[in-house]
Amino acid sequence: MDAKDILGLPKNSITQEKKSRPQKDSQRKPDGISREVYALTGGFPPLIPAIEASQLKKRPPSDEKITWQWLPFTNSARKDNLHLYHWVRIVNGVPPTGDYSFAKYNKSVDIVKYTDEEYEKYLTDPMWTKEETDQLFELCQSFDLRFIVIADRFPSSRTVEELKDRYYSVARAMLAARAPSPGDISGHPLVKEPYNVSQETERKRALSMVLSQTKQQERKDAEVLAEAKRITESRMVARGAEESELPVPSNAGPESAERAAIPSDTVSPSANVQHPSAAVAPSTITVDNASILASLRMLRVYLRTYALDQMVQAASSSAGLRTIKRVEQTLQELGVNLKPRVPTKAVCAEHLELRREILTLLNLQKQLQYKEAEGSSYRDGSYGDTPGTPKHLSHGGDQDRIFVPDMNFAGERIGKRDQKRKAPGRLSEAPLPAHKRPRKLKAADL
Amino acid sequence: MINSSSSKQVGQDQQATSEPRSPRPKIKMVKSEESDKRILNKKLKDVEISIPIVYGNVSFWLGKKASEYQSHKWTVYVRGATNEDIGVVIKRVVFQLHSSFKNPTRVVESPPFELSEAGWGEFEIAITLYFHIDLCDKPLTLYHHLKLYPEDESGPMSSKKPVVAECFDEIAFPEPSEGFLVRVQNHPAVNVPRLPTGFTLPPPELFVVPFEDANRKKRGDTKDHPLSQWFMNFSEADELLQLAAARQQVQAYLAKLRRQISMIDGQHQQLKTISDS
């Protein structure tokens, strides 16, 4: 790097270009299979090569004599001793030994088996007859505990959850009955986490509700969740260890939207450019405020500064980080403490209102800038000479500071504090000249 | 609203004062204790009482007597903002000091809620306020950074003039119980808002005073506190004035912006009609 600096040449850029190109080529060129086929697999070399590309080409070993024979075979996985035939690859006249290669895949679940005595002793249940239980277990055995299938084939109509519940409670009871001591089985998953019918039914119902939600419902839910999250956060800060559980959407679904009683129309996230932003802002502010006030009332005691913080956060939640910084900058320019020195109820209320007004101010300013930009595009199209707008736009830098500090007409106290500063107090006059020019233009044209 | 159960004992007539500081013997309710409990516990909504407090520290440099580990003598405290007695609300205060102090958890059972110590370092002190049980059973914690050294490091340290760091805040109780409200109705340390119209509080005789009140003999207000000459002044009026002036400015500018915007809108309309024609 130093050598490059000394030479003063951008040496690396050229070599970098050359390096990048060959790298790309090697990535694209697959070996052994055509590019299109390679692309089907995702176009990237696999992490672990499944089949060696080289192996695909050179297969036939010259020293081995391969023939194929039509031979019978049996499957140890079958119980009926069925003899079938298939082609077998014979190497040097020696047929392969061993079981049918797919027999090892015949896995099944170990179903609990009970005798009639055991049934009488441990497994009787008012809701289930022995017949039904036996049927259930037969099906479980044949279908490997695939309860959906079992439920379909079960003679009497029982829900999947009921069947599961019966099976697992029987299994658990048998386990407990057969275990030498309760300690032995305490680690068994059947004992540690028993099947909870009501929970399962509820969970599945909720899932199906979520699945069948319309897009509008989804939107509503998201909004309610955001509100609820904000409330929980403010409550959690107050309560510390205590956690308040809110209705999770999968459990409540559409019910929570009604329960929360927050009009979804006002909390619409879409920012309509046509309407002045001030109209949208107050409605969201009132919603936030109401929730903050409600959460504050939940606390039995709170500090005024804490309440103010919450409200300020809520008010600036709709604004971006830059806007928040600008609000704070404006506050400082006005000579107001970012955190009031005497935070009484009245002072906090005034402070909050001031912040809101500044937010509105910033929004309006932005609006004005947009409109002027629009205006200049109009004029650039239809009029040639537009003295007004470009000069106005060039004042953009000045507009970042709305209030130059040292406002003399804000009171002597502020003036006293800023005596050391050099700039005299005056309100930024930038908007005014442009204010006048368009008027002149109009008059001239008419 | 309140079932003023008149089936009270005669003994109550003796304590007909609403002055919370005068020692009152514990009233024994023989009958209808249940309803009294209900009255005591009845919470009032929309009546938020607030207690303005100031908490902080005053620290004196020990000057010649300063040693390496004890260079300053400081006092951390919580007081009423107007120096009134906050013992009517706060039962006790626990100051949690830095772990290098012996017995860093200091409990102060009665006002004035203060703690004096000597040391050399600045650290954060956790001040936990415990309120009277009938008011609130949850404590509230404030944090104060102990300030020993003056901001202006250049000046010479004087052992006569202390370094003071105070912070103003208000403790708000959104739903105080009726019993408590009656007790503090006229207390100077507590801000009680105007009660909703047509609402009257039951007479104070119905309520049991927490027993601790009777024992407190020494005064709890800090009006004549030895450190009171150093206490800072927190004027709500100043801040309100400042805020009002700022708001005025902002509103004026807002009005101007709105005029500009409507003007430009008018222009755009004109341009549109001109270009359309």
Side-chain angles (χ1 to χ4, degrees), chain B residues 11-26:
Chain B
Q12 271 72 312
D13 292 335
Q14 294 167 354
Q15 7 279 350
T17 68
S18 57
E19 174 54 58
R21 285 176 61 194
S22 63
R24 245 194 270 185
K26 194 168 171 188

Side-chain angles (χ1 to χ4, degrees), chain A residues 299-300 302-305 334-335 340-344 350 357 371 375 379 402 407 417 435 438 442, chain B residues 48 50 137 142 168-172 174 236 239 242 247 249 251 253 260 264-265 267-268 270 272:
Chain A
L299 306 168
R300 254 162 293 161
Y302 62 87
L303 276 177
R304 190 71 64 197
T305 46
L334 288 163
R341 202 170 151 261
V342 190
T344 62
E350 283 287 303
E357 282 171 5
K371 290 205 187 260
R379 290 200 201 94
I402 309 168
M407 292 298 124
R417 245 189 281 144
H435 203 67
K442 266 202 297 187
Chain B
E48 182 185 88
S50 58
D137 54 358
L142 314 161
F168 178 99
D169 213 328
E170 270 190 352
I171 309 175
E236 186 189 27
E239 192 120 23
Q242 194 189 56
R247 280 188 73 184
Q249 274 194 278
Q251 280 161 3
Y253 199 59
Q260 279 185 275
I264 291 191
D265 277 342
Q267 282 174 26
H268 287 350
Q270 279 215 338
K272 266 190 158 167

Side-chain angles (χ1 to χ4, degrees), chain A residues 13-29:
Chain A
S13 58
I14 304 166
T15 50
Q16 267 173 3
E17 282 170 31
K18 281 196 180 151
K19 271 187 191 166
S20 60
R21 254 185 278 125
Q23 264 184 1
K24 275 193 184 167
D25 278 351
S26 63
Q27 270 186 359
R28 282 195 200 140
K29 225 202 293 180

Side-chain angles (χ1 to χ4, degrees), chain B residues 101-251:
Chain B
F101 279 90
K102 207 158 68 149
N103 302 326
T105 313
R106 306 282 171 92
V107 183
V108 182
E109 295 283 356
S110 63
F113 299 108
E114 61 179 17
L115 174 74
S116 297
E117 261 289 354
W120 58 270
E122 297 184 342
F123 55 90
E124 192 178 71
I125 303 178
I127 309 173
T128 311
L129 312 173
Y130 290 85
F131 305 103
H132 289 296
I133 312 155
D134 63 337
L135 174 62
C136 178
D137 54 358
K138 274 197 95 191
L140 188 65
T141 308
L142 314 161
Y143 296 93
H144 173 69
H145 185 84
L146 182 71
K147 192 154 162 5
L148 303 177
Y149 302 97
E151 286 200 11
D152 181 16
E153 285 184 21
S154 56
M157 293 221 279
S158 130
S159 57
K160 301 279 167 63
K161 218 173 149 223
V163 171
V164 182
E166 281 190 333
C167 191
F168 178 99
D169 213 328
E170 270 190 352
I171 309 175
F173 296 94
E175 288 179 2
S177 66
E178 260 192 357
F180 190 76
L181 206 62
V182 162
R183 204 146 53 88
V184 299
Q185 226 181 349
N186 297 315
H187 197 281
V190 182
N191 289 339
V192 180
R194 199 180 312 164
L195 299 172
T197 48
F199 184 86
T200 46
L201 287 172
E205 301 92 68
L206 289 178
F207 299 96
V208 180
V209 177
F211 194 54
E212 295 86 6
D213 269 3
N215 281 337
R216 235 180 349 98
K217 299 259 170 63
K218 64 173 176 157
R219 54 192 298 184
D221 67 292
T222 44
K223 287 197 187 125
D224 289 332
H225 195 273
L227 293 173
S228 61
Q229 57 175 308
W230 308 115
F231 289 163
M232 287 163 71
N233 228 341
F234 291 93
S235 159
E236 186 189 27
D238 278 354
E239 192 120 23
L240 278 177
L241 206 69
Q242 194 189 56
L243 286 170
R247 280 188 73 184
Q248 217 180 25
Q249 274 194 278
V250 173
Q251 280 161 3

Side-chain angles (χ1 to χ4, degrees), chain A residues 347-365:
Chain A
V347 167
C348 288
E350 283 287 303
H351 187 93
L352 207 62
E353 279 306 310
L354 181 61
R355 272 185 186 254
R356 287 192 190 131
E357 282 171 5
I358 295 177
L359 256 179
T360 321
L361 185 70
L362 293 174
N363 285 335
L364 275 189
Q365 255 203 325

